[in-house]
Amino acid sequence: NAGVMQNPRHLVRRRGQEARLRCSPMKGHSHVYWYRQLPEEGLKFMVYLQKENIIDESGMPKERFSAEFPKEGPSILRIQQVVRGDSAAYFCASSLQAAGPYEQYFGPGTRLTVT
Amino acid sequence: AQTVTQSQPEMSVQEAETVTLSCTYDTSESDYYLFWYKQPPSRQMILVIRQEAYKQQNATENRFSVNFQKAAKSFSLKISDSQLGDAAMYFCAYRRIGNAGNMLTFGGGTRLMVKP
């Protein structure tokens, strides 16, 4: 029973390039959450998606960031024209249901470094 | 908006001894979940323990237990018989109950060092 998968684990981009981070939820999970962890800080919520729908993007920067969770395939977090301040660890979590005592299971994270 | 505060950036404990990590939170909700997560150097987030706010009994998981004080909005983690493998960042987190706002709100973390 594979856990939440994220790839790549490490991603290096130059300023101005695009970064694409992928997240495959646990089998049977249709709820996906993205969090960002800046160095020496806690995780901060970015966006919550169900299959083909963005439910809550209140934590996502308004520009350059987008997320999707298509009917088939992984969830994608896309950062356009990256800047040094985007350097962080990005974590994906999935859950079976949104409400109730359903745990969010975390992936290993993608560490993005912008040079 | 909910906030979670961990006032101890670092804590240190001798192996086999007991340590308590502090967490306070702010919410206007009456029902919610509270969590402690461990993040070792691998950065993998590992759920340590969970508490439902409507339960008066404090949660326990082997060597880990919590002291949940709802009125004071306090949720501390006690680690008994500390082991070297307990060394990690520990994050307190809050989540609402219900369909809306299911995201976790995390504190800033406490780095726990275990001395042999």
Side-chain angles (χ1 to χ4, degrees), chain A residues 31 33 48 50 55 97-100, chain B residues 96-103:
Chain A
H31 300 263
Y33 308 80
Y48 159 43
Q50 290 183 39
I55 307 301
Q97 297 284 347
Chain B
R96 288 174 60 182
I97 290 178
N99 289 325
N102 295 300
M103 73 290 288

Side-chain angles (χ1 to χ4, degrees), chain A residues 4 6 23-24 32-35 90-94 105-107 109:
Chain A
V4 178
Q6 288 188 251
C23 168
S24 295
V32 165
Y33 308 80
W34 285 94
Y35 296 86
Y90 292 82
F91 288 90
C92 164
S94 74
Y105 293 85
F106 281 84

Side-chain angles (χ1 to χ4, degrees), chain B residues 22-42:
Chain B
S22 300
C23 172
T24 58
Y25 59 94
D26 188 27
T27 182
S28 57
E29 304 286 330
S30 59
D31 284 329
Y32 44 86
Y33 299 107
L34 296 165
F35 306 85
W36 279 97
Y37 281 87
K38 172 185 178 181
Q39 187 180 45
S42 67

Side-chain angles (χ1 to χ4, degrees), chain A residues 35 56 100-101 106 111, chain B residues 43-44 50 95 102-104:
Chain A
Y35 296 86
D56 184 345
F106 281 84
R111 182 178 287 193
Chain B
R43 289 184 170 265
Q44 178 71 53
R50 180 179 74 189
R95 181 164 74 83
N102 295 300
M103 73 290 288
L104 290 161

